[in-house]
Amino acid sequence: GSFGAAARALRLGLTTVTRAVERLETRLNTKLFIRGPQGVSLTRAGTIAYDRALTMKRMAEQLEHELADCEQLAEGPVTIAAPDGIAGLFLAPFMTEFLRANPKIDLLIDCGLWPDRPLSGEVDLTLTFNEPKQADIIATPLAHFHYGLFASREYLDLYGTPKTVAEATTHPFVHHVAQTHQRDTWAPRHIAAQDLAQKRIQTNCSAVSFAAVKNGAGIGAMPTAILSLEPDLIMLDL
């Protein structure tokens, strides 16, 4: 917000800070800050420079971390925060292999389902559908989730297979209330279908949604990757 605040945080003189910034701007041949009566703010070039500086800092920290790991096995607790569906259906099957390969690491998996019973320690790794905006967080895209409508074979044999999205809305629907991400990019008919669906079951738990569809309670939207875990489910061709 101001050079004065920066000087105090760095425990340096104000002149030292301002001259350092001036030298940097001269060397880069661009203005990094807009100076005004309300303080200073970043120019577009300043924003780019700030992002690059953070990347350099993170790379240096990662190098130090990786070199340290070369000499010793990682150990201690690791806390992972993830939605219950991701943690239970996609992470849990691999935990046995991970723990055997890392005998000195203990896992704490926080799915946020019991806020009055939080796990101890700070979160080390978060799996989330929303890109974090904090500048000090390293965020790496891992995968795209593609959704489809699914039902069990037994359900379709009993009630028939819908041939259109409109027809699917007449079937009992298992609805996960968190399935609203990027709704502004959905096709209008998909928004209408979700709004018109007969939501016989509504839940905020992926495990409930998955088990209900698997056991024939109705049709539900799930990521297509669910077929790698439950190949007997049927994805409707809509």
Side-chain angles (χ1 to χ4, degrees):
S2 73
F3 289 122
R8 289 191 295 274
L10 295 170
R11 296 183 179 180
L12 296 172
L14 176 59
T15 302
T16 302
V17 172
T18 55
R19 286 179 178 173
V21 171
E22 289 169 358
R23 286 196 301 271
L24 183 58
E25 289 181 326
T26 299
R27 183 168 181 175
L28 297 176
N29 194 30
T30 187
K31 283 291 183 183
L32 300 176
F33 295 97
I34 299 172
R35 297 156 174 80
Q38 303 303 319
V40 295
S41 58
L42 289 171
T43 63
R44 181 173 179 276
T47 301
I48 294 173
Y50 178 66
D51 289 340
R52 295 297 185 271
L54 279 181
T55 300
M56 293 163 61
K57 178 175 180 288
R58 292 166 183 160
M59 290 179 68
E61 292 172 346
Q62 185 175 354
L63 174 62
E64 189 174 326
H65 179 71
E66 290 176 352
L67 292 179
D69 285 349
C70 289
E71 301 299 326
Q72 59 187 19
L73 287 175
E75 61 179 279
V78 175
T79 301
I80 300 174
D84 71 298
I86 297 292
L89 299 176
F90 293 101
L91 287 186
F94 298 97
M95 289 181 187
T96 301
E97 179 183 352
F98 177 84
L99 292 175
R100 289 174 180 170
N102 298 274
K104 294 187 176 183
I105 289 181
D106 299 321
L107 294 177
L108 292 84
I109 312 298
D110 189 348
C111 297
L113 297 179
W114 298 86
D116 60 333
R117 296 289 189 275
L119 294 174
S120 60
E122 294 184 0
V123 173
D124 301 297
L125 178 68
T126 298
L127 295 175
T128 175
F129 289 100
N130 298 311
E131 182 179 357
K133 302 302 181 183
Q134 299 93 317
D136 60 336
I137 291 180
I138 301 173
T140 303
L142 295 178
H144 292 282
F145 260 35
H146 301 279
Y147 282 81
L149 291 180
F150 289 84
S152 69
R153 170 57 64 191
E154 292 76 14
Y155 175 88
L156 297 178
D157 288 344
L158 188 60
Y159 296 103
T161 302
K163 304 299 182 184
T164 66
V165 172
E167 190 178 333
T169 63
T170 65
H171 286 252
F173 196 75
V174 179
H175 177 59
H176 195 306
V177 296
Q179 289 176 355
T180 57
H181 293 283
Q182 300 178 342
R183 186 177 165 102
D184 58 330
T185 67
W186 296 9
R189 66 176 184 150
H190 295 151
I191 296 176
Q194 189 182 72
D195 293 340
L196 294 172
Q198 298 185 47
K199 301 179 178 68
R200 298 296 305 280
I201 297 176
Q202 297 191 61
T203 180
N204 59 3
C205 173
S206 296
V208 170
S209 176
F210 170 68
V213 174
K214 177 183 175 181
N215 289 284
I219 293 172
M222 290 187 288
T224 56
I226 204 71
L227 289 175
S228 66
L229 304 175
E230 190 60 42
D232 291 337
L233 284 173
I234 306 298
M235 186 169 70
L236 303 184
D237 185 16
L238 301 176

